[in-house]
Amino acid sequence: MADRMHGRPAAPTETTVSSVNWDSRDLTGEEHTSVLFVDVDMTEAGGAGAVFTDCTFRGVRFNASTHTDTAFLNCTFVRCGFFDATFSGCKLVGSLFDGCTHDLLKVKGGDWSFTGLPGADLRRASFTDVRMREADLTGARCAGASIRGVDLSGSSLHRADFSGCDLRGSDISAMDPYTVQLGRAVIDPYQAVTLARALGVEVRD
């Protein structure tokens, strides 16, 4: 399993939900703490205001699911599928994604700070107006992705590939242009100055 930043261990679980069908389930208002979900089908599940705390999801299918103002706090996702899933205004602080698929994932608003996505394939994902402070995107594959208006301050971006990625409006102050790939990336003038300074270039009028 991928490691969390600073070596924090995954939270222990106390109960298990295994191989059940939650397809199209309305999760509105549900609360789950320290639960291990194994091979659960949450395809097209959705709802608002659910809270999952210290839970682990293994082989869970979140495909085409829709989550609004939902919290996944300090959760661990292992080999889960997020094809065409949508997270709007959700909080995933401290959660870790390991070996998951994120094809067509859409994240709008919310707080994903301290989230671990090391090596994640985010090439067809989009993040808009999301707080991702001190997130772990080490080695993440973001080529061609849309990461607009995202707060990446303090994030670990070493060896990440942002080739052709739309980064406009995002805080890229933590980005070292010597350790990431940025060919054909789309940035705004303010970001251009930030990168120039990181390269040691003096910007003048």
Side-chain angles (χ1 to χ4, degrees):
M1 179 184 294
D3 293 327
R4 279 178 163 79
M5 291 182 69
H6 313 302
R8 293 183 298 110
T13 55
E14 299 172 355
T15 58
T16 300
V17 176
S18 180
S19 302
V20 299
N21 185 0
W22 284 11
D23 189 321
S24 302
R25 181 185 177 107
D26 183 1
L27 299 169
T28 298
E30 291 193 13
E31 295 188 13
H32 301 273
T33 301
S34 301
V35 179
L36 170 62
F37 295 89
V38 181
D39 296 329
V40 176
D41 186 358
M42 293 191 184
T43 301
E44 296 187 357
V51 179
F52 296 84
T53 305
D54 293 336
C55 293
T56 294
F57 301 84
R58 293 183 180 275
V60 175
R61 295 178 292 284
F62 290 93
N63 302 328
S65 60
T66 303
H67 309 273
T68 303
D69 299 327
T70 294
F72 293 88
L73 305 175
N74 197 38
C75 291
T76 302
F77 302 87
V78 182
R79 297 187 302 279
C80 295
F82 292 92
F83 175 78
D84 200 26
T86 300
F87 292 81
S88 300
C90 295
K91 181 180 289 188
L92 282 90
V93 175
S95 291
L96 172 70
F97 296 81
D98 180 26
C100 298
T101 58
H102 308 275
D103 203 23
L104 299 183
L105 169 69
K106 293 176 285 294
V107 181
K108 304 172 184 178
D111 192 347
W112 288 50
S113 297
F114 306 101
T115 298
L117 288 156
D121 186 348
L122 303 173
R123 290 176 293 179
R124 299 184 65 193
S126 66
F127 291 79
T128 307
D129 299 327
V130 186
R131 177 180 290 182
M132 297 185 73
R133 293 180 180 177
E134 298 189 48
D136 183 4
L137 290 166
T138 304
R141 292 170 284 170
C142 304
S146 177
I147 302 177
R148 299 285 306 272
V150 175
D151 184 355
L152 291 169
S153 57
S155 294
S156 178
L157 308 174
H158 188 67
R159 298 195 314 276
D161 183 1
F162 294 101
S163 303
C165 180
D166 190 345
L167 290 163
R168 288 175 292 176
S170 294
D171 184 333
I172 58 172
S173 57
M175 186 174 290
D176 181 348
Y178 290 107
T179 65
V180 300
Q181 297 182 50
L182 285 169
R184 304 180 311 283
V186 181
I187 60 176
D188 58 41
Y190 179 80
Q191 293 170 317
V193 172
T194 299
L195 289 178
R197 288 173 175 166
L199 289 167
V201 176
E202 185 174 338
V203 181
R204 297 182 180 180
D205 292 333

